[in-house]
Amino acid sequence: MANRDIKSELMEHTIRLVDQAGGDVERVTIRDIASAAGVGVGLVNYHFGSKEELLHCCARQVVQRQNKQLGRLAGEVQGETAWECLEGLARRYCDLLTERPGLVRMSLLDDLRRGDFADDSIDDTMALFLPLVAAALGEEAAGDDSRMATHLLVHGLQAGFLRSASVRERIGLDFYDREQREQFIRLTLRQIKWRSA
């Protein structure tokens, strides 16, 4: 038992249990987590202090992993134009958002609530998009234009995800339906393209 990394194991079991619960973090209990890891409830509290803190740590880890994956995808994205490459990356990013919605939502909301850029996954995501946005806007766009367009794009996609129920109710777009999500991405990119012209 001394060689086990209990903290990491608890996080991995928690992520798996949240996935099994369809992303509903409320359905996962500390007892479920402790049982899956083969440890007592007290050990969960010892390492994390609360279920809430454990979930926040898991959320950060999931989003960090997604950003690493997105970074790899950014290098692989192909298209005839820079705009097509940017659309491909946006599509892959939105796919990642919907894979683990409960934990991703928690991480994004933590970043927004905190407001600074320390250990901020949103800032990391924007850094991944910036080179493709700059390439799509072309040489005539200043660096500030590229940064603003990146900000609008990333926050627009995240808002569509975070407010998916409201978006579905207000404009009839289901962010979890791939076809409708791709339409949302194209419309968002069209706005950026139009504003940059």
Side-chain angles (χ1 to χ4, degrees):
M1 184 118 149
N3 293 333
R4 289 176 67 185
D5 182 355
I6 300 296
K7 195 169 183 176
S8 293
E9 284 185 38
L10 288 169
M11 290 175 64
E12 290 305 320
H13 286 292
T14 302
I15 291 167
R16 184 179 49 76
L17 289 168
V18 170
D19 286 348
Q20 290 173 351
D24 185 355
V25 297
E26 298 304 318
R27 287 183 36 208
V28 177
T29 67
I30 288 183
R31 289 197 187 287
D32 295 335
I33 296 163
S35 175
V39 299
V41 171
L43 206 48
V44 177
N45 289 323
Y46 169 78
H47 283 288
F48 295 96
S50 68
K51 172 188 163 187
E52 198 64 24
E53 182 57 28
L54 169 57
L55 288 168
H56 287 284
C57 289
C58 290
R60 279 191 299 277
Q61 182 173 335
V62 162
V63 171
Q64 287 170 350
R65 287 178 184 171
Q66 286 181 341
N67 275 342
K68 283 182 184 174
Q69 185 177 359
L70 190 65
R72 286 190 301 275
L73 292 171
E76 298 169 3
V77 126
Q78 295 182 3
E80 290 185 25
T81 68
W83 284 102
E84 288 173 357
C85 291
L86 182 56
E87 182 179 336
L89 186 63
R91 189 179 312 114
R92 286 172 176 83
Y93 176 61
C94 289
D95 290 347
L96 289 172
L97 290 176
T98 60
E99 282 179 9
R100 290 199 160 116
L103 292 172
V104 171
R105 176 174 280 108
M106 184 178 285
S107 178
L108 293 176
L109 291 174
D110 283 350
D111 285 349
L112 291 170
R113 202 174 3 262
R114 202 173 51 246
D116 61 12
F117 296 113
D119 196 31
D120 188 310
S121 65
I122 296 172
D123 197 47
D124 294 343
T125 302
M126 285 198 254
L128 292 169
F129 271 93
L130 182 60
L132 283 175
V133 171
L137 292 178
E139 290 181 19
E140 66 276 353
D144 289 344
D145 291 343
S146 296
R147 284 189 288 281
M148 179 61 77
T150 302
H151 180 86
L152 293 171
L153 173 62
V154 170
H155 282 293
L157 297 175
Q158 290 174 347
F161 164 72
L162 290 170
R163 301 290 305 249
S164 58
S166 176
V167 167
R168 184 175 37 247
E169 184 179 312
R170 290 185 179 164
I171 62 175
L173 185 135
D174 183 356
F175 195 85
Y176 287 88
D177 178 276
R178 180 180 295 273
E179 213 170 282
Q180 291 182 40
R181 185 167 66 239
E182 289 181 6
Q183 178 187 7
F184 177 73
I185 292 165
R186 285 190 299 275
L187 289 171
T188 303
L189 287 172
R190 190 178 306 150
Q191 293 301 310
I192 291 169
K193 193 175 197 178
W194 172 75
R195 293 202 183 275
S196 69

